[in-house]
Amino acid sequence: MTRDADGGAWGRLLVWRDRDGRRHEWAMPAALLAGDGVDLRRELLAGGLAITSHRQDRQRIEDYLTQARPAAFARCVERTGWYGDVFVLPGRTFGEGAERVLFQSETIAGSTHAEAGTLAGWRDQVAALCVGNSRLLLAASCGFAALLLGRLGDESGGIHLRGASSTGKSTALAVAASLFGPPA
């Protein structure tokens, strides 16, 4: 069972294996059990869970999720970032707290954050390009600072890059975005 720090936003941590044997984990908001279950089933099917086409049997999924009373509890959050001593991303939480902390959303995808490649790859293919380029270095530094400001209790701010076309503004934005996921 999941719930937020205020005892609201209850949900369920669902874990299953798809047809390839790959493990999936999703902190599902309990609110998805309020309707006819089509949104819940759509997400589970997209995650590779085999679900029957028989209407009465499909209802058993919602019945089970509504009635199950697991002994374990986890804290859910609806935004990524720092929560105490842990840093939460949609598919991963870094650090350990008094209880497990999970990102919870109405969809399995949940966020545009994504992990692709390795730290060494980012260092060689992105960070290396920042050396000697003040705009790219500023963009990467701002991206890293954004992760640390709340933890340090400092105020945030903004940087406005302006100039003619082809001066590196979009490239700087792509460098900062590369810390968090795809360029989009």
Side-chain angles (χ1 to χ4, degrees), residues 64-131:
Y64 173 75
L65 294 175
T66 301
Q67 297 169 13
R69 299 287 179 250
F73 287 83
R75 180 76 53 217
C76 68
V77 296
E78 295 177 338
R79 293 184 314 179
T80 58
W82 287 103
Y83 292 89
D85 292 333
V86 300
F87 188 81
V88 179
L89 290 174
R92 191 168 174 190
T93 300
F94 297 91
E96 293 184 22
E99 65 183 335
R100 189 170 179 194
V101 181
L102 301 164
F103 179 77
Q104 181 169 290
S105 72
E106 291 186 5
T107 63
I108 292 174
S111 174
T112 57
H113 287 79
E115 184 177 319
T118 64
L119 175 59
W122 184 87
R123 185 184 58 230
D124 295 342
Q125 297 172 14
V126 179
L129 302 175
C130 297
V131 176

Side-chain angles (χ1 to χ4, degrees), residues 51-72:
I51 297 177
T52 182
S53 61
H54 299 316
R55 185 175 296 164
Q56 287 179 326
D57 291 340
R58 280 194 321 233
Q59 184 62 43
R60 291 182 183 176
I61 294 171
E62 292 99 65
D63 292 343
Y64 173 75
L65 294 175
T66 301
Q67 297 169 13
R69 299 287 179 250

Side-chain angles (χ1 to χ4, degrees), residues 14 17 23-24 29 38 57 72 97 103 119 154 163 167:
L14 307 182
R17 293 201 180 274
R23 186 177 189 273
H24 294 263
V38 70
D57 291 340
F103 179 77
L119 175 59
D154 282 342
T167 57

